[in-house]
Amino acid sequence: MREQNAAVRRGNFDEVALGYNLKEALREAERCLDCSRPGCVTGCPVHIDIPAFIRLIRAGKYREAYDHLTEDTVLPAVCGRVCRQEDQCEKDCTVGKKLQAVAIGRLERWLGDMAIEKGWHQKHAIRPNGFRVGIVGSGPAGLACAADLARSGCEVIIYEALHRPGGVLRYGIPEFRLPDQVIEAEIANLLRLGVKVQCDTLVGRLFTLEQMLGEMGFDAVFVGTGAGYPKFMGIPGEGLNGVLSANEFLTRCNLMGAHRFPYCDTPVNLGRTVAVIGAGNTAMDATRVALRMGVEKVRCVYRRSREESPAREEEVRHAEEEGVEFLWLTNPVEILGSGEGFVRGIRCVRMEMGEPDETGRRRPVPVPDSEFDIEADSVIYAIGTNANPIMGQTSRLELDKRGYIRTNERLETSIPGVFAGGDIVTGAATVIQAMGAGRRAARSILNRLGVRTC
Amino acid sequence: MYRILAREDYSDVTFMIEVEHPMMARAARPGQFVIVRLNDQGERIPLTLADFDAARGTVTLVVQAVGKTTMQMKAECRPGSVLQSLVGPMGMPSSVGRPGKVVGVGGGLGVAPIYPQLRAHKENGSYVIAVLGFRSRDLVFWEDRFRKVCDELVLCTDDGSAGLKGRVTDGLHQVLEHHRDITEVIAIGPAVMMKACSELTRERGIRTMVSLNPIMVDGTGMCGGCRVTVAGKMKYACVDGPDFDGHQVDFEELMRRLNRFRGDEKAALERWRKHAASCNLRRGISEES
């Protein structure tokens, strides 16, 4: 796919991957073999009928292709961008066994973008069934759950604690990977299905799950609040000014518009050099947003090597191209202060890959006497999250040892009528896994309510 | 959008707004806070609830105009105008515990939030003493409200124009000397004040709760900006607090962290002042013509 030039794009927030034009999309669609037993469908967490929508693209029936695609996903323009297709649909592509797999995600995005451009709406005949379902959190899990329930005829209200809907799509994933306009358009589609979204509403504290099922008259509730609660390492100096979580950094920039400070009120003030700790997708987002905030030097510090990085290969490559310096096999041992409470650098130690541990993954071990200091005005932690405690604090929900909500395979929680899915059940995972969980929960809710599903 | 029903000014910087939010008015408990956002470009600022009235369907905020957003609130919040966002109640409610003899110390922005806490203690059957600090007599507010829920009220003013001449710590010291059976002290105000109060009670071994006010973004445990060190452990004030044991809080760190955006805050305030001045000028010209 064509991309914005690295030297140019590191200075703007415009989308990096430019998407297909018609010719490119048709050429890619031609590569699909239309297998009789398609691996791609099994590889997709929401089982999109991939060969069918690609067949329709090939036939030039774009509108039909979009309608077919949106039978299975509400957010094609989002998922086409942020899904890890290489580990899902594209992994099991027959063409991919010998050649480059069919770029399913890019075709999905192309259709999604075309729909936004042409103003196509998903049309579905909805027959109201009289049931009301409340959804806690408007991230990918909640949105996917809401879409399926609304199509089946339920009245759906989504409650969001922040002032804009979308959850991690909004506050986490930056504009240059997922433009706001795309989120806006796909949520608008959901509203057209009759779903209502109420922002500024912190469920648990403003009202409880029990109240929702009681006086508020919901027949079922889905909890998709995400994991939240960022982790730190517990090394000295983490309380210094300039040490922050990737969640905070990305929220300040993506949701609060810190790149437009002081036009927008929220500052972020990174200084000249930034170090990001961790090498997952969130870390890559943080490094690349930092570059776009005008920081001179951005380093990424990770205790394992590039091969073990949990980020998508494409994200690491993008960051490298844009000029992020990677310190692989490097672990922070102390955040160094300026003496006035601000960060001035990180003391690191070199690591080497040791023997495999009980999980079979090789464990990084420190190299003796290899300490060295790097300069940093800001240190951004992107090493994962723990469970957000609010739902547990405010209800009788049964939690596991780590504080995540315990569910059975139907995603039912310990409170009858309350279902949960996404990161608050599994711990941090991907957008599409959360969407898959939202859809599974929707099926279970419909089953419980005795609504026939299509 | 949340409608402002009433406003009252207590000084050149301190004012009260009463905002309509029936559901929050029912849910709110002493010690909890809200997040306010004024407009699309606005920041999210945490404010501790000063009162809530389920019957009226309102929550009350007492605001000190000291930064850009609070200055803007002072200029723009009027009965009939709206807050674009008002989220909450947030944080763990304060625990009231068994009835005893409770002292509430409020200074600066902490005067109002101590009120619902003391009311709850009074309703719980405690003997309640309030120690409130103001600059001078004419800046005293809510004296009548406090008198209704307190067995004793100690006013402290910088100039001695009302009550004791001195700081709230002087007032607290006097109370601690006079009453040897205090079971709990609650201190709300600037970090330096809460720290001083905690030091006074530490040697006497009196349980002391403080309400922390670090910098926050979302207020729901998601960003970690509000992390504080309590008993050597990292806590998030928004979901683990905002009330913590004052004897265990690392106040030095809190005070340093409150300065995190000092430069930016100043710049934002200057920019807003200029903007407001030019608006006033324009308004003045159009009114004259």
Side-chain angles (χ1 to χ4, degrees), chain A residues 145-367:
Chain A
C145 187
D148 283 5
L149 292 169
R151 282 176 182 172
S152 301
C154 298
E155 183 190 341
V156 181
I157 304 180
I158 306 182
Y159 296 106
E160 167 58 48
L162 292 173
H163 53 273
R164 297 180 79 190
V168 72
L169 305 175
R170 180 81 68 176
Y171 73 75
I173 302 177
E175 184 76 9
F176 57 82
R177 279 218 293 137
L178 180 59
D180 256 17
Q181 189 204 342
V182 171
I183 308 173
E184 231 39 91
E186 303 226 315
I187 290 179
N189 266 331
L190 209 61
L191 301 182
R192 264 183 222 103
L193 295 176
V195 173
K196 293 191 183 68
V197 180
Q198 189 181 316
C199 290
D200 292 331
T201 305
L202 182 60
V203 176
R205 292 284 171 211
L206 186 60
F207 47 81
T208 61
L209 294 177
E210 284 85 352
Q211 277 173 290
M212 289 178 80
L213 290 172
E215 64 200 75
M216 293 172 74
F218 287 106
D219 299 293
V221 174
F222 172 72
V223 179
T225 53
Y229 216 96
K231 278 185 197 166
F232 288 83
M233 292 173 73
I235 60 176
E238 289 178 346
L240 289 165
N241 290 335
V243 179
L244 68 167
S245 75
N247 270 9
E248 177 177 358
F249 172 56
L250 293 171
T251 303
R252 283 179 180 274
C253 297
N254 300 338
L255 178 74
M256 305 306 296
H259 57 291
R260 294 197 290 164
F261 178 84
Y263 171 72
C264 290
D265 290 342
T266 305
V268 68
N269 201 349
L270 297 170
R272 284 173 38 249
T273 53
V274 169
V276 175
I277 301 174
N281 287 321
T282 308
M284 295 310 119
D285 285 346
T287 60
R288 298 172 67 202
V289 172
L291 283 176
R292 284 158 176 78
M293 297 294 292
V295 167
E296 283 168 29
K297 181 88 204 158
V298 179
R299 292 190 181 89
C300 177
V301 179
Y302 183 54
R303 62 197 180 120
R304 298 176 197 260
S305 64
R306 193 184 195 280
E307 290 66 47
E308 285 90 18
S309 151
R312 293 178 80 175
E313 161 59 28
E314 185 183 68
E315 302 302 324
V316 180
R317 177 175 60 79
H318 278 152
E320 283 172 339
E321 288 169 0
E322 290 169 13
V324 173
E325 183 190 325
F326 284 85
L327 300 177
W328 304 110
L329 290 166
T330 303
N331 206 27
V333 290
E334 183 183 350
I335 312 295
L336 307 169
S338 63
E340 286 150 32
F342 286 80
V343 170
R344 73 174 167 85
I346 309 180
R347 178 148 301 154
C348 300
V349 61
R350 300 233 182 268
M351 307 292 278
E352 57 191 0
M353 296 311 287
E355 295 302 308
D357 60 16
E358 58 279 8
T359 63
R361 202 171 170 209
R362 291 203 323 171
R363 190 196 291 273
V365 289
V367 176

Side-chain angles (χ1 to χ4, degrees), chain B residues 122-143:
Chain B
K122 185 69 195 169
E123 283 164 2
N124 190 44
S126 287
Y127 185 89
V128 174
I129 305 166
V131 179
L132 307 177
F134 300 93
R135 276 204 318 261
S136 63
R137 168 82 257 178
D138 50 326
L139 301 178
V140 174
F141 65 91
W142 284 17
E143 190 180 343

Side-chain angles (χ1 to χ4, degrees), chain A residues 34 38 40-41 44 46-56 65 68-69 71-73 104:
Chain A
D34 204 355
C40 53
V41 181
C44 171
V46 296
H47 305 303
I48 294 174
D49 188 355
I50 293 161
F53 90 74
I54 296 184
R55 200 183 310 133
L56 287 163
H68 202 83
L69 176 63
E71 286 291 320
D72 294 310
T73 173
I104 300 166

